[in-house]
Amino acid sequence: MEKVIIIRYAEIHLKGKNRSYFERALATNLEKSLKGLRHELHRMSGRWLVAAFDEARTEEICERVGKVFGVHSYSVGLLTGSGMDDIFRAALAVAPEEGTFKVETHRAYKNYPLTSMEVSAELGGRLLAARKKLKVDVHTPQNVVYVDVRENGSALVFCKFLRGAGGMPVSTSGKGLLLISGGIDSPVAGYMMAKRGLTVELLHFHSYPYTNEGAKEKVVTLAKLLSPYTQVTRLSTVSVTHIQEAIHKTCAAELNVTLLRRFMFRIAERFALERELKCLVTGESLGQVASQTIEGMTSSNAVVTLPVLRPLVGFDKEEIIDRAKEIGTFETSILPYEDCCTVFLPEFPAIKPKLSYIEEEEKKLDVPALVEEAMGTVETIDL
Ligand code: ATP
Ligand code: MG
């Protein structure tokens, strides 16, 4: 028998071609997430098995598998032969020493000589005889020994279903560009879209020297924390310093943020189109700050044609914070560093500026030249 990690995916919606596409994407992503750890990945109808790994690193493997989207649940168990003696030996290895238990059997192999009930009864009896401190309780057992009899003369034996990250394998929904700040919201937005199968490349705007190296380091750390989920291992940065200075010098102060955001969207779209990314993703949430009103979003959307996904639009800040804590980005997000949005922040930002007024003010700037200059500052960091 061999120690394995059994990986299950939700099979609903998986039909025809779609199914093998999904399965292959999941396998690719599992391989990526297990990079650097010795292992083999085997297919077993409706499951993937991680095998041939260093048992001392089981926990580390589980932790990584637990972050791969598309994994519905997983279990650490034993792969053994499907004869009762083999199943019994494996059950002894995974079953607890004492307490109450029951056996639950599932047969993928329908021609197996025993029914599921018979396997459970036989195995339960043997376990009881072997472990005097075990007791059967079929209604509320403290432990369950699961047996999964497979087609090819093998069986899987395990005790726990661990919850996977859910969602769909990253890449199965195409590619987008996450506008990532150093704040709490955008990393969560990236996580949520990756969960729906989107590959999210990362773009960060800085205003060096108004924002410092620390601010950049913070975003790099956030991107690294996200990468087990998003599987994206690079981050691009663009300077918007010259744009902020131009806006500050030329336009109505109350529109500083609104105008900057329009530039961010334009630059992001240029960047996305050059890399064949099909949408933009932001961490905006309706009404959260002055620029996140319908008018604010309309003003930013007006300068791009790519769809802008805002997965947090209906979330309360508390909900976003809870999610940030869950995925482990919160502590980094709250470190105190300047973001480019806070540089030149006007005392009274316009909350519901009219588009015509915004466009009028913007005419005072050479928009294409400013965007072009920004594109010349793109840097890409390998995480
Ligand atoms: P966050 O917590 O993500 O920083 P926020 O509540 O601070 O969001 P804003 O500063 O208005 O809100 O930013 C709204 C969204 O715009 C962010 O979620 C992010 O997607 C994008 N954004 C803001 N600043 C930057 C930046 N410096 N670089 C890249 N994207 C940014
Ligand atoms: Mg912010």
mmCIF file of all heavy atoms in Angstrom, residues 59-94:
data_model
loop_
_atom_site.group_PDB
_atom_site.id
_atom_site.type_symbol
_atom_site.label_atom_id
_atom_site.label_comp_id
_atom_site.label_asym_id
_atom_site.label_seq_id
_atom_site.Cartn_x
_atom_site.Cartn_y
_atom_site.Cartn_z
ATOM 1 N N GLU A 59 2.135 17.413 5.020
ATOM 2 C CA GLU A 59 1.400 18.614 5.423
ATOM 3 C C GLU A 59 1.611 19.764 4.443
ATOM 4 O O GLU A 59 0.671 20.473 4.080
ATOM 5 C CB GLU A 59 1.879 19.048 6.802
ATOM 6 C CG GLU A 59 0.751 19.460 7.717
ATOM 7 C CD GLU A 59 1.261 19.685 9.124
ATOM 8 O OE1 GLU A 59 1.501 18.687 9.841
ATOM 9 O OE2 GLU A 59 1.440 20.860 9.474
ATOM 10 N N GLU A 60 2.863 19.893 4.015
ATOM 11 C CA GLU A 60 3.194 20.960 3.066
ATOM 12 C C GLU A 60 2.444 20.743 1.739
ATOM 13 O O GLU A 60 1.927 21.690 1.143
ATOM 14 C CB GLU A 60 4.702 20.931 2.833
ATOM 15 C CG GLU A 60 5.255 22.198 2.258
ATOM 16 C CD GLU A 60 6.774 22.103 2.116
ATOM 17 O OE1 GLU A 60 7.399 21.217 2.748
ATOM 18 O OE2 GLU A 60 7.325 22.926 1.351
ATOM 19 N N ILE A 61 2.383 19.502 1.306
ATOM 20 C CA ILE A 61 1.677 19.205 0.062
ATOM 21 C C ILE A 61 0.193 19.536 0.221
ATOM 22 O O ILE A 61 -0.413 20.171 -0.641
ATOM 23 C CB ILE A 61 1.874 17.725 -0.340
ATOM 24 C CG1 ILE A 61 3.357 17.498 -0.694
ATOM 25 C CG2 ILE A 61 0.981 17.346 -1.512
ATOM 26 C CD1 ILE A 61 3.698 16.083 -1.070
ATOM 27 N N CYS A 62 -0.368 19.140 1.352
ATOM 28 C CA CYS A 62 -1.791 19.424 1.596
ATOM 29 C C CYS A 62 -2.064 20.928 1.594
ATOM 30 O O CYS A 62 -3.045 21.391 1.035
ATOM 31 C CB CYS A 62 -2.244 18.840 2.930
ATOM 32 S SG CYS A 62 -2.423 17.064 2.854
ATOM 33 N N GLU A 63 -1.164 21.649 2.231
ATOM 34 C CA GLU A 63 -1.350 23.093 2.292
ATOM 35 C C GLU A 63 -1.388 23.692 0.886
ATOM 36 O O GLU A 63 -2.205 24.553 0.580
ATOM 37 C CB GLU A 63 -0.221 23.703 3.113
ATOM 38 C CG GLU A 63 -0.529 25.103 3.587
ATOM 39 C CD GLU A 63 0.628 25.643 4.407
ATOM 40 O OE1 GLU A 63 1.036 24.960 5.372
ATOM 41 O OE2 GLU A 63 1.127 26.719 4.050
ATOM 42 N N ARG A 64 -0.509 23.194 0.032
ATOM 43 C CA ARG A 64 -0.478 23.713 -1.340
ATOM 44 C C ARG A 64 -1.708 23.278 -2.130
ATOM 45 O O ARG A 64 -2.322 24.087 -2.823
ATOM 46 C CB ARG A 64 0.789 23.242 -2.047
ATOM 47 C CG ARG A 64 2.051 23.820 -1.410
ATOM 48 C CD ARG A 64 3.181 23.706 -2.393
ATOM 49 N NE ARG A 64 4.483 23.886 -1.760
ATOM 50 C CZ ARG A 64 5.627 23.812 -2.410
ATOM 51 N NH1 ARG A 64 5.621 23.532 -3.697
ATOM 52 N NH2 ARG A 64 6.772 24.001 -1.797
ATOM 53 N N VAL A 65 -2.058 22.013 -2.017
ATOM 54 C CA VAL A 65 -3.237 21.503 -2.735
ATOM 55 C C VAL A 65 -4.496 22.274 -2.298
ATOM 56 O O VAL A 65 -5.375 22.565 -3.109
ATOM 57 C CB VAL A 65 -3.404 19.984 -2.479
ATOM 58 C CG1 VAL A 65 -4.772 19.498 -2.915
ATOM 59 C CG2 VAL A 65 -2.314 19.210 -3.206
ATOM 60 N N GLY A 66 -4.526 22.623 -1.006
ATOM 61 C CA GLY A 66 -5.686 23.328 -0.454
ATOM 62 C C GLY A 66 -5.889 24.715 -1.042
ATOM 63 O O GLY A 66 -6.922 25.337 -0.828
ATOM 64 N N LYS A 67 -4.890 25.207 -1.777
ATOM 65 C CA LYS A 67 -5.010 26.543 -2.364
ATOM 66 C C LYS A 67 -5.254 26.495 -3.865
ATOM 67 O O LYS A 67 -5.282 27.541 -4.518
ATOM 68 C CB LYS A 67 -3.739 27.351 -2.072
ATOM 69 C CG LYS A 67 -3.643 27.715 -0.591
ATOM 70 C CD LYS A 67 -2.409 28.510 -0.276
ATOM 71 C CE LYS A 67 -2.428 28.917 1.196
ATOM 72 N NZ LYS A 67 -1.166 29.518 1.624
ATOM 73 N N VAL A 68 -5.377 25.314 -4.411
ATOM 74 C CA VAL A 68 -5.568 25.209 -5.865
ATOM 75 C C VAL A 68 -7.063 25.252 -6.182
ATOM 76 O O VAL A 68 -7.831 24.394 -5.722
ATOM 77 C CB VAL A 68 -4.932 23.909 -6.409
ATOM 78 C CG1 VAL A 68 -5.209 23.754 -7.899
ATOM 79 C CG2 VAL A 68 -3.424 23.913 -6.145
ATOM 80 N N PHE A 69 -7.459 26.250 -6.936
ATOM 81 C CA PHE A 69 -8.878 26.370 -7.288
ATOM 82 C C PHE A 69 -9.290 25.226 -8.205
ATOM 83 O O PHE A 69 -8.514 24.775 -9.053
ATOM 84 C CB PHE A 69 -9.172 27.711 -7.949
ATOM 85 C CG PHE A 69 -9.070 28.860 -6.996
ATOM 86 C CD1 PHE A 69 -8.251 29.950 -7.277
ATOM 87 C CD2 PHE A 69 -9.788 28.861 -5.805
ATOM 88 C CE1 PHE A 69 -8.150 31.012 -6.400
ATOM 89 C CE2 PHE A 69 -9.697 29.915 -4.914
ATOM 90 C CZ PHE A 69 -8.872 31.002 -5.211
ATOM 91 N N GLY A 70 -10.521 24.781 -8.026
ATOM 92 C CA GLY A 70 -11.019 23.650 -8.802
ATOM 93 C C GLY A 70 -10.988 22.370 -7.970
ATOM 94 O O GLY A 70 -11.612 21.382 -8.328
ATOM 95 N N VAL A 71 -10.241 22.406 -6.849
ATOM 96 C CA VAL A 71 -10.231 21.237 -5.944
ATOM 97 C C VAL A 71 -11.407 21.377 -4.993
ATOM 98 O O VAL A 71 -11.499 22.347 -4.241
ATOM 99 C CB VAL A 71 -8.906 21.143 -5.148
ATOM 100 C CG1 VAL A 71 -8.978 19.997 -4.142
ATOM 101 C CG2 VAL A 71 -7.725 20.963 -6.090
ATOM 102 N N HIS A 72 -12.287 20.410 -5.054
ATOM 103 C CA HIS A 72 -13.494 20.458 -4.228
ATOM 104 C C HIS A 72 -13.190 19.942 -2.822
ATOM 105 O O HIS A 72 -13.518 20.566 -1.819
ATOM 106 C CB HIS A 72 -14.553 19.602 -4.915
ATOM 107 C CG HIS A 72 -15.844 19.575 -4.193
ATOM 108 N ND1 HIS A 72 -16.666 20.677 -4.123
ATOM 109 C CD2 HIS A 72 -16.451 18.587 -3.511
ATOM 110 C CE1 HIS A 72 -17.737 20.355 -3.416
ATOM 111 N NE2 HIS A 72 -17.626 19.100 -3.027
ATOM 112 N N SER A 73 -12.528 18.783 -2.751
ATOM 113 C CA SER A 73 -12.087 18.251 -1.465
ATOM 114 C C SER A 73 -10.886 17.356 -1.700
ATOM 115 O O SER A 73 -10.606 16.964 -2.844
ATOM 116 C CB SER A 73 -13.204 17.435 -0.801
ATOM 117 O OG SER A 73 -13.374 16.211 -1.470
ATOM 118 N N TYR A 74 -10.169 17.063 -0.625
ATOM 119 C CA TYR A 74 -9.034 16.151 -0.760
ATOM 120 C C TYR A 74 -8.861 15.372 0.535
ATOM 121 O O TYR A 74 -9.367 15.774 1.592
ATOM 122 C CB TYR A 74 -7.759 16.909 -1.152
ATOM 123 C CG TYR A 74 -7.321 17.981 -0.189
ATOM 124 C CD1 TYR A 74 -6.273 17.764 0.712
ATOM 125 C CD2 TYR A 74 -7.955 19.220 -0.161
ATOM 126 C CE1 TYR A 74 -5.866 18.750 1.600
ATOM 127 C CE2 TYR A 74 -7.557 20.208 0.731
ATOM 128 C CZ TYR A 74 -6.515 19.968 1.603
ATOM 129 O OH TYR A 74 -6.125 20.933 2.488
ATOM 130 N N SER A 75 -8.173 14.263 0.440
ATOM 131 C CA SER A 75 -7.967 13.400 1.603
ATOM 132 C C SER A 75 -6.575 12.821 1.557
ATOM 133 O O SER A 75 -6.058 12.521 0.487
ATOM 134 C CB SER A 75 -8.937 12.211 1.577
ATOM 135 O OG SER A 75 -10.268 12.646 1.519
ATOM 136 N N VAL A 76 -5.995 12.649 2.730
ATOM 137 C CA VAL A 76 -4.757 11.885 2.823
ATOM 138 C C VAL A 76 -5.181 10.456 3.098
ATOM 139 O O VAL A 76 -5.985 10.205 3.994
ATOM 140 C CB VAL A 76 -3.873 12.396 3.973
ATOM 141 C CG1 VAL A 76 -2.604 11.570 4.057
ATOM 142 C CG2 VAL A 76 -3.562 13.867 3.785
ATOM 143 N N GLY A 77 -4.730 9.522 2.299
ATOM 144 C CA GLY A 77 -5.175 8.148 2.497
ATOM 145 C C GLY A 77 -4.173 7.147 1.978
ATOM 146 O O GLY A 77 -3.007 7.481 1.723
ATOM 147 N N LEU A 78 -4.644 5.919 1.829
ATOM 148 C CA LEU A 78 -3.774 4.852 1.349
ATOM 149 C C LEU A 78 -4.368 4.233 0.102
ATOM 150 O O LEU A 78 -5.574 4.005 0.021
ATOM 151 C CB LEU A 78 -3.611 3.786 2.432
ATOM 152 C CG LEU A 78 -2.818 4.241 3.668
ATOM 153 C CD1 LEU A 78 -2.986 3.248 4.805
ATOM 154 C CD2 LEU A 78 -1.335 4.438 3.330
ATOM 155 N N LEU A 79 -3.495 3.982 -0.855
ATOM 156 C CA LEU A 79 -3.887 3.265 -2.069
ATOM 157 C C LEU A 79 -3.437 1.819 -1.880
ATOM 158 O O LEU A 79 -2.271 1.559 -1.572
ATOM 159 C CB LEU A 79 -3.188 3.877 -3.277
ATOM 160 C CG LEU A 79 -3.359 3.144 -4.614
ATOM 161 C CD1 LEU A 79 -4.811 3.192 -5.088
ATOM 162 C CD2 LEU A 79 -2.438 3.747 -5.678
ATOM 163 N N THR A 80 -4.376 0.902 -2.030
ATOM 164 C CA THR A 80 -4.032 -0.492 -1.779
ATOM 165 C C THR A 80 -4.781 -1.387 -2.757
ATOM 166 O O THR A 80 -5.543 -0.890 -3.594
ATOM 167 C CB THR A 80 -4.357 -0.833 -0.300
ATOM 168 O OG1 THR A 80 -3.897 -2.144 -0.007
ATOM 169 C CG2 THR A 80 -5.840 -0.759 -0.017
ATOM 170 N N GLY A 81 -4.594 -2.707 -2.624
ATOM 171 C CA GLY A 81 -5.341 -3.632 -3.475
ATOM 172 C C GLY A 81 -6.789 -3.695 -3.016
ATOM 173 O O GLY A 81 -7.117 -3.284 -1.895
ATOM 174 N N SER A 82 -7.668 -4.224 -3.877
ATOM 175 C CA SER A 82 -9.078 -4.183 -3.507
ATOM 176 C C SER A 82 -9.546 -5.456 -2.776
ATOM 177 O O SER A 82 -10.715 -5.599 -2.449
ATOM 178 C CB SER A 82 -9.944 -3.945 -4.743
ATOM 179 O OG SER A 82 -9.782 -5.034 -5.632
ATOM 180 N N GLY A 83 -8.622 -6.379 -2.479
ATOM 181 C CA GLY A 83 -8.997 -7.551 -1.682
ATOM 182 C C GLY A 83 -9.257 -7.142 -0.232
ATOM 183 O O GLY A 83 -8.693 -6.159 0.250
ATOM 184 N N MET A 84 -10.093 -7.901 0.476
ATOM 185 C CA MET A 84 -10.459 -7.528 1.853
ATOM 186 C C MET A 84 -9.240 -7.453 2.770
ATOM 187 O O MET A 84 -9.167 -6.592 3.636
ATOM 188 C CB MET A 84 -11.454 -8.540 2.432
ATOM 189 C CG MET A 84 -12.923 -8.173 2.345
ATOM 190 S SD MET A 84 -13.401 -6.444 2.440
ATOM 191 C CE MET A 84 -13.136 -6.031 4.111
ATOM 192 N N ASP A 85 -8.257 -8.345 2.577
ATOM 193 C CA ASP A 85 -7.083 -8.317 3.455
ATOM 194 C C ASP A 85 -6.287 -7.026 3.280
ATOM 195 O O ASP A 85 -5.843 -6.419 4.244
ATOM 196 C CB ASP A 85 -6.173 -9.530 3.174
ATOM 197 C CG ASP A 85 -6.811 -10.826 3.675
ATOM 198 O OD1 ASP A 85 -7.783 -10.740 4.467
ATOM 199 O OD2 ASP A 85 -6.349 -11.906 3.254
ATOM 200 N N ASP A 86 -6.144 -6.630 2.005
ATOM 201 C CA ASP A 86 -5.437 -5.371 1.735
ATOM 202 C C ASP A 86 -6.194 -4.182 2.336
ATOM 203 O O ASP A 86 -5.603 -3.300 2.961
ATOM 204 C CB ASP A 86 -5.322 -5.159 0.221
ATOM 205 C CG ASP A 86 -4.197 -6.001 -0.381
ATOM 206 O OD1 ASP A 86 -3.293 -6.398 0.387
ATOM 207 O OD2 ASP A 86 -4.239 -6.260 -1.589
ATOM 208 N N ILE A 87 -7.494 -4.186 2.123
ATOM 209 C CA ILE A 87 -8.310 -3.081 2.644
ATOM 210 C C ILE A 87 -8.215 -3.031 4.167
ATOM 211 O O ILE A 87 -8.073 -1.956 4.765
ATOM 212 C CB ILE A 87 -9.783 -3.227 2.171
ATOM 213 C CG1 ILE A 87 -9.864 -3.005 0.651
ATOM 214 C CG2 ILE A 87 -10.688 -2.252 2.901
ATOM 215 C CD1 ILE A 87 -11.251 -3.204 0.057
ATOM 216 N N PHE A 88 -8.231 -4.186 4.768
ATOM 217 C CA PHE A 88 -8.152 -4.247 6.230
ATOM 218 C C PHE A 88 -6.817 -3.681 6.733
ATOM 219 O O PHE A 88 -6.772 -2.881 7.666
ATOM 220 C CB PHE A 88 -8.350 -5.690 6.709
ATOM 221 C CG PHE A 88 -8.146 -5.865 8.183
ATOM 222 C CD1 PHE A 88 -8.874 -5.113 9.107
ATOM 223 C CD2 PHE A 88 -7.214 -6.786 8.663
ATOM 224 C CE1 PHE A 88 -8.679 -5.281 10.478
ATOM 225 C CE2 PHE A 88 -7.004 -6.952 10.032
ATOM 226 C CZ PHE A 88 -7.739 -6.191 10.939
ATOM 227 N N ARG A 89 -5.722 -4.093 6.089
ATOM 228 C CA ARG A 89 -4.405 -3.585 6.506
ATOM 229 C C ARG A 89 -4.345 -2.063 6.390
ATOM 230 O O ARG A 89 -3.840 -1.379 7.271
ATOM 231 C CB ARG A 89 -3.294 -4.205 5.650
ATOM 232 C CG ARG A 89 -2.622 -5.405 6.333
ATOM 233 C CD ARG A 89 -1.310 -5.779 5.629
ATOM 234 N NE ARG A 89 -1.531 -6.175 4.243
ATOM 235 C CZ ARG A 89 -1.890 -7.416 3.884
ATOM 236 N NH1 ARG A 89 -2.038 -8.358 4.800
ATOM 237 N NH2 ARG A 89 -2.088 -7.716 2.624
ATOM 238 N N ALA A 90 -4.901 -1.545 5.313
ATOM 239 C CA ALA A 90 -4.894 -0.086 5.132
ATOM 240 C C ALA A 90 -5.771 0.583 6.187
ATOM 241 O O ALA A 90 -5.411 1.608 6.765
ATOM 242 C CB ALA A 90 -5.394 0.264 3.725
ATOM 243 N N ALA A 91 -6.925 -0.040 6.461
ATOM 244 C CA ALA A 91 -7.842 0.534 7.459
ATOM 245 C C ALA A 91 -7.177 0.576 8.826
ATOM 246 O O ALA A 91 -7.310 1.561 9.562
ATOM 247 C CB ALA A 91 -9.137 -0.270 7.505
ATOM 248 N N LEU A 92 -6.430 -0.471 9.154
ATOM 249 C CA LEU A 92 -5.724 -0.492 10.439
ATOM 250 C C LEU A 92 -4.734 0.672 10.530
ATOM 251 O O LEU A 92 -4.525 1.247 11.582
ATOM 252 C CB LEU A 92 -4.945 -1.805 10.592
ATOM 253 C CG LEU A 92 -5.651 -2.979 11.258
ATOM 254 C CD1 LEU A 92 -4.666 -4.135 11.374
ATOM 255 C CD2 LEU A 92 -6.190 -2.603 12.637
ATOM 256 N N ALA A 93 -4.134 0.982 9.403
ATOM 257 C CA ALA A 93 -3.123 2.047 9.394
ATOM 258 C C ALA A 93 -3.746 3.434 9.542
ATOM 259 O O ALA A 93 -3.106 4.346 10.056
ATOM 260 C CB ALA A 93 -2.312 1.975 8.108
ATOM 261 N N VAL A 94 -4.984 3.600 9.079
ATOM 262 C CA VAL A 94 -5.582 4.948 9.163
ATOM 263 C C VAL A 94 -6.571 5.091 10.319
ATOM 264 O O VAL A 94 -6.852 6.201 10.767
ATOM 265 C CB VAL A 94 -6.300 5.356 7.841
ATOM 266 C CG1 VAL A 94 -5.334 5.391 6.672
ATOM 267 C CG2 VAL A 94 -7.497 4.477 7.537
#
